[in-house]
Amino acid sequence: MARFVNENTDSWAQGTGALNRANTSFAYTYNVLVQGIVKNRLTNDGKLQFNYKNAGVFESPEKQISGREVYQNVQFPFVKDANGYYEFNSSKNHVHVDKSKKNGQTLTLESGKQTVGSVSSFFPFNADGNYSPDYHFGMNMSIPFYINENGKDENNNPIKFEFSGDDDVWVFINGKLVLDLGGIHGAIDGSIDFSTGEVKYGFNKTNNVKVIKAGQTTQTDAASTTLQKLGIDMAELAKGENNLQIFYLERGAGESNCKIKFNLQQRDSLEVNKTLGSTTPHTDNNFEFQLLKQNQNGQYEPVGNKAYTLYTANNSIESNNYKTDKNGKFYLKAGQRVNFTSNQIGKYKVVELTGGYEKTWSGRKESIATGNISDNKNAYEIQISENDTKTATRYTVNCINSADVTLNDDTIVLDYGKTVRHNVRTNDNTSSQNASVYGIGSGDLAKNAESANGYSKLDTDVDLQNGKIKIDEDGVVEYTPTRFMNSVDKANYVVSYQVGNGNKQDTRYAYGTVNVLPATSVYYEDDFGTEDNTDSTVSIVWSNGWGTTGGNKGNKEQSSANKNYGWDDIYKNDKTYSDETAHYSDVKGATATFTFKGTAVDVYSRTNGDVGLIRAVLYKGTEVTKSAYQMKYIDNVSQSGDYYQIPTLSFDDLEYGTYTVQITAGAKGQGTTGTYYLDGIRVYNPLGNVDANSVAGKAYSEAGESNAQYISVRKDLLDSTKVNDLESSINGSLFIDKSENKVGDRTDDIGTYKDYGPKNEVYVKEKQGVAFKIKEYDSDNNKVFIGLKSPQGKDVKVKITSGEHIQYINLSSAADLYYEITPNEDGNVVIENMTDNLLSITKVRITSKNATTIKNSLISTPELMSYVEKFDSLSVKQDNNKDDSIGKDDIDIENPEDKNDPEDKNDEAVKPVSIWQKIMESIKIWFGR
């Protein structure tokens, strides 16, 4: 049943126009039908088809129609008389709909006709005594029946169906129109005599009924017809279950009458209904069921080859000749039901075998609840008893499947200033897979289940604070940073899906959130942004005098195979410049200016014998002023080789805030011009200290990036010439050297470090390495990563500690990438270069699950020296499948120590600060050839 709770402006609901009354001269006689408003056949799924615009009373319950209220599964009461006729007559009885129950109620038959104000007599939405009639409502009723070919009952009485009322009534048998009482009119009768096949109309017990065709004005007498002429074959009806369907409308805003009388033959039945929850996405998939019956031993057995009738979601018969298979299985789509008849007395179990839903079961014997849920909510048991009444008994089992669309939020952490693609649908619940991606919008847009106003459609960019984002039909979002990131960008993506239990559904929307934020360090290429940019908070501002080198303009998108923070395939094989591009200048006074928010910044460059001097000035705020906060002169010259992606300039240990850096190219020295290369910059802690419960805090924690500490290996590299004895722990890492004197770079003191390149990192050749112990290491709380690279872009094989074993890492990238390692139980680590090509060891990164005030450090101990002695004898970890990739959290590197006096303009060349002296005996075995 459905009603309109407010005035609908559609002429269909108003009760005016040619489709409602015949014409004004018959306004008060009401004996004229308007036929042809609906088609002569229901759709295959049992829907009423209108030939004209209508107010949607009979649309699916899930469809949102302004002013309409829908009441589903309403049991309508009939009185059965001594002659076997079922009857409801509004002049004798009345009913009241409980407006608080939108699904599942049995109407109570009240004595006497109902009068609302001065109008009678069928107003089910009015309480007794209400003065204002509640007009504009409708009813869709289905009556299953069986019949003999002669159209008579077991007592040889004619089987009939009779209706009398106003306004529109359309009666269908098995989907075919047999009574057409359309239009606004008085109480006109319509009857079907199945024994004779006669179908006729009457008015005030006469045959004075007129008919006009919808859209016309010519009246004719309503002639009788026959079922045969209307396409109804009695022999077909006699083959099985049939369905008589009534569509009733009250829309004349006058008197309302309803009389239904029939002696259609009924049978005891077991009805199984399948519906979806009101917010569950519609699916056309079949749901698998099984019918079981309890045997004498109390065990359930399949009811195989059991005949049943299948009904559509609109109460129309789809087929009346189906059977269960040998295992008692049958199939229902959402909104369908089956009707089993000729059921033996006993206990039955209905099992739904389809999973993935929350199931809600109920059972009734007529209007009385009965039965129980079993099998962990996957089945319902119901007892069919002997029928000792004169009326057919209907048992019903209802199974409602619910699975709301849940879109889980996604967080993307960017460690490179490049476009990233991420599928937001992969972590959404199973039900959401029946939904289609609709679009995306900014995070401040409303999340309305009934509309998606303001959201951009597929493949359309939406501007956010730090970048732009779009989404495709597969749920892949593409985010492109458009400025240096210093906050969390938030976007909502939206999916649309259909709800309903038939072929006609209504659209709903569900939302998920995508958070995009910078990692604790973010690397930006030199070509991030545009060449003509003038805003240093967006990207680097280049003055005149700069060029670009390296071939193409680099990769603008991170690899789709990228799974871990701080690692990307586009950097995996870097041989020279970062992502193959760099800016350069040999013009004195050329500037590069950028503004960042954070606690430190590294500037990466190329070093060789032909590069030049730069001046770097750090300012507080977003402007270049006369007041410098820090100033440095950096000579990038390297006489020992040509090295790429070297962080020659660093500003670190800054208070979190906004800073501007301006780099000015200068001269090489001795009056000759030098070239300066700017390859990229890395900004540290762009969000500052984050709350552990914030979006960023949770993302860092889940990625293992929380509470990261970075320790430069080069900073406290120990020198044997500075140590007289090693009886206790001392700060610093141990340089080890097992190399033969074939490369001309070994000193007389084993363990003495020779500098092969710039001072910022530890460079080791074949058979050389570094050993250290991590102070306060806790294997349950800490994760450890080591920064490694090949500064000349050549193949390097590294032997490294892996718990109580060793592992090998192969790399060839000039990019500084971090590799997760596992110290032994005491926190000891050894790293050794196994090839002749140069290996660079940068920093140790240590993260902690739990916030702590404990600061880790690298130390050397007698126990470390003992571990070094046995390192060569350790076995290779057998289950190691690591490649040269890292976790998505493994991206942050701290600036190298800078002890330069800005005013001295020196070249930052490193003099050895410490060498082991007392180690030869204690690690003699380890150093043995």
Side-chain angles (χ1 to χ4, degrees), residues 22 25 72 230 287 662-663 789:
S25 64
Q72 303 180 69
L230 296 172
F287 292 85
Q662 186 170 78
I663 299 170
K789 67 179 186 177

Side-chain angles (χ1 to χ4, degrees), residues 142-145 172-174 242-245 311 315-317:
S142 178
I143 304 173
F145 69 95
F172 292 80
I173 295 177
N174 294 347
N242 304 285
N243 185 49
L244 184 142
Q245 202 158 354
Y311 282 80
N315 294 320
S316 175
I317 289 179

Side-chain angles (χ1 to χ4, degrees), residues 263-486:
N263 63 341
L264 299 169
Q265 301 300 290
Q266 308 289 297
R267 292 182 183 176
D268 290 351
S269 62
L270 172 60
E271 179 182 293
V272 179
N273 297 272
K274 162 52 57 187
T275 55
L276 296 175
S278 60
T279 58
T280 302
H282 175 79
T283 175
D284 287 325
N285 295 336
N286 281 317
F287 292 85
E288 186 179 29
F289 285 84
Q290 187 178 31
L291 182 65
L292 307 172
K293 185 176 183 296
Q294 197 175 67
N295 61 24
Q296 293 180 347
N297 298 322
Q299 304 297 316
Y300 280 103
E301 297 176 341
V303 183
N305 301 312
K306 175 72 172 175
Y308 64 87
T309 301
L310 177 65
Y311 282 80
T312 70
N314 294 294
N315 294 320
S316 175
I317 289 179
E318 180 173 308
S319 174
N320 60 6
N321 59 4
Y322 283 151
K323 291 183 178 181
T324 62
D325 68 11
K326 64 180 181 179
N327 296 313
K329 292 182 179 180
F330 60 98
Y331 300 88
L332 290 172
K333 294 182 183 296
Q336 291 182 334
R337 76 174 193 269
V338 297
N339 207 17
F340 295 100
T341 57
S342 303
N343 301 308
Q344 297 179 358
I345 298 171
K347 192 172 186 178
Y348 289 81
K349 179 188 287 188
V350 179
V351 184
E352 183 180 355
L353 301 174
T354 301
Y357 292 85
E358 179 71 23
K359 299 180 178 71
T360 302
W361 295 87
S362 63
R364 305 184 76 85
K365 178 181 179 181
E366 293 296 334
S367 62
I368 301 174
T370 187
N372 58 276
I373 299 171
S374 65
D375 296 7
N376 196 27
K377 295 186 178 181
N378 290 313
Y380 198 84
E381 298 174 330
I382 192 166
Q383 177 74 42
I384 293 181
S385 306
E386 183 175 359
N387 188 357
D388 56 2
T389 68
K390 296 181 179 180
T391 61
T393 301
R394 183 175 68 162
Y395 296 86
T396 58
V397 173
N398 302 304
C399 180
I400 302 175
N401 283 13
S402 298
D404 291 344
V405 172
T406 301
L407 306 184
N408 294 309
D409 292 349
D410 293 79
T411 298
I412 303 171
V413 180
L414 283 186
D415 42 19
Y416 295 99
K418 289 182 175 291
T419 296
V420 63
R421 290 167 59 84
H422 172 75
N423 193 324
V424 297
R425 300 300 310 283
T426 55
N427 66 335
D428 295 338
N429 72 345
T430 304
S431 278
S432 73
Q433 303 311 311
N434 292 319
S436 300
V437 179
Y438 177 87
I440 199 165
S442 62
D444 57 357
L445 288 176
K447 298 180 178 181
N448 191 331
E450 297 180 3
S451 70
N453 293 335
Y455 285 84
S456 295
K457 295 296 183 65
L458 298 177
D459 300 311
T460 303
D461 282 324
V462 174
D463 290 327
L464 303 176
Q465 184 172 350
N466 297 307
K468 57 185 180 181
I469 194 167
K470 61 184 177 181
I471 192 169
D472 68 15
E473 63 181 357
D474 296 321
V476 176
V477 297
E478 180 179 293
Y479 178 88
T480 301
T482 55
R483 63 178 300 128
F484 296 139
M485 301 179 69
N486 57 27

Side-chain angles (χ1 to χ4, degrees), residues 189-200:
D189 306 329
S191 65
I192 306 168
D193 187 331
F194 288 90
S195 65
T196 63
E198 184 180 31
V199 178
K200 63 181 181 178

Side-chain angles (χ1 to χ4, degrees), residues 757-822:
K759 71 163 241 178
N760 312 76
E761 303 152 339
V762 177
Y763 298 90
V764 294
K765 286 195 173 181
E766 186 177 13
K767 298 293 184 179
Q768 296 177 339
V770 170
F772 53 81
K773 175 176 179 168
I774 301 175
K775 187 178 181 180
E776 305 293 349
Y777 171 71
D778 180 353
S779 60
D780 293 328
N781 186 43
N782 298 130
K783 293 175 68 176
V784 180
F785 307 84
I786 187 70
L788 302 173
K789 67 179 186 177
S790 172
Q792 296 171 312
K794 298 180 180 180
D795 293 338
V796 177
K797 183 176 183 179
V798 184
K799 181 180 178 181
I800 198 165
T801 300
S802 179
E804 304 310 311
H805 304 275
I806 61 168
Q807 67 178 21
Y808 290 96
I809 296 175
N810 297 307
L811 61 95
S812 60
S813 176
D816 190 8
L817 300 175
Y818 276 73
Y819 302 79
E820 184 174 1
I821 62 174
T822 305

Side-chain angles (χ1 to χ4, degrees), residues 73 241 265 639 677 700 704 709 751 767 815 826 843:
N73 301 315
E241 186 172 327
Q265 301 300 290
Q639 300 295 349
Y677 296 87
Y700 291 165
Q709 302 176 57
K767 298 293 184 179
D826 296 319
K843 298 177 179 68

Side-chain angles (χ1 to χ4, degrees), residues 547-789:
T548 58
T549 186
N552 63 40
K553 290 296 293 179
N555 297 286
K556 295 299 182 183
E557 183 177 318
Q558 295 187 35
S559 168
S560 60
N562 184 26
K563 298 179 181 179
N564 303 312
Y565 298 141
W567 176 269
D568 198 281
D569 285 346
I570 63 176
Y571 293 99
K572 180 178 180 180
N573 297 311
D574 273 4
K575 304 300 182 184
T576 56
Y577 303 108
S578 169
D579 201 15
E580 301 183 6
T581 68
H583 275 66
Y584 70 92
S585 178
D586 56 8
V587 178
K588 186 175 181 179
T591 62
T593 307
F594 62 89
T595 300
F596 71 95
K597 194 171 186 179
T599 60
V601 66
D602 283 344
V603 180
Y604 290 79
S605 184
R606 175 185 177 184
T607 69
N608 56 37
D610 297 316
V611 299
L613 182 74
I614 63 166
R615 181 183 69 181
V617 184
L618 180 71
Y619 302 90
K620 280 189 173 183
T622 61
E623 301 292 335
V624 174
T625 67
K626 294 182 179 180
S627 178
Y629 183 62
Q630 291 185 33
M631 181 183 296
K632 297 182 180 183
Y633 288 86
I634 307 294
D635 193 340
N636 294 279
V637 172
S638 172
Q639 300 295 349
S640 59
D642 197 0
Y643 304 97
Y644 292 88
Q645 302 189 45
I646 306 300
T648 60
L649 170 64
S650 297
F651 290 105
D652 54 7
D653 294 328
L654 303 174
E655 182 181 351
Y656 178 69
T658 300
Y659 301 89
T660 297
V661 175
Q662 186 170 78
I663 299 170
T664 304
K668 174 183 176 182
Q670 290 83 40
T672 59
T673 302
T675 302
Y676 174 68
Y677 296 87
L678 202 164
D679 200 356
I681 67 171
R682 191 184 295 272
V683 177
Y684 294 85
N685 297 314
L687 298 182
N689 292 324
V690 299
D691 188 320
N693 294 318
S694 67
V695 170
K698 291 178 180 178
Y700 291 165
S701 176
E702 290 174 6
E705 195 168 332
S706 295
N707 310 302
Q709 302 176 57
Y710 296 87
I711 305 172
S712 172
V713 178
R714 177 64 182 272
K715 180 179 178 181
D716 293 316
L717 194 64
L718 295 174
D719 190 323
S720 63
T721 63
K722 304 296 183 181
V723 180
N724 295 322
D725 200 356
L726 186 62
E727 297 178 352
S728 61
S729 66
I730 58 175
N731 291 329
S733 304
L734 167 67
F735 179 77
I736 55 178
D737 190 348
K738 298 190 300 176
S739 65
E740 298 177 1
N741 195 19
K742 61 184 180 182
V743 293
D745 52 31
R746 177 182 167 190
T747 67
D748 292 335
D749 294 317
I750 297 177
T752 300
Y753 175 60
K754 180 162 178 83
D755 186 4
Y756 303 112
K759 71 163 241 178
N760 312 76
E761 303 152 339
V762 177
Y763 298 90
V764 294
K765 286 195 173 181
E766 186 177 13
K767 298 293 184 179
Q768 296 177 339
V770 170
F772 53 81
K773 175 176 179 168
I774 301 175
K775 187 178 181 180
E776 305 293 349
Y777 171 71
D778 180 353
S779 60
D780 293 328
N781 186 43
N782 298 130
K783 293 175 68 176
V784 180
F785 307 84
I786 187 70
L788 302 173
K789 67 179 186 177

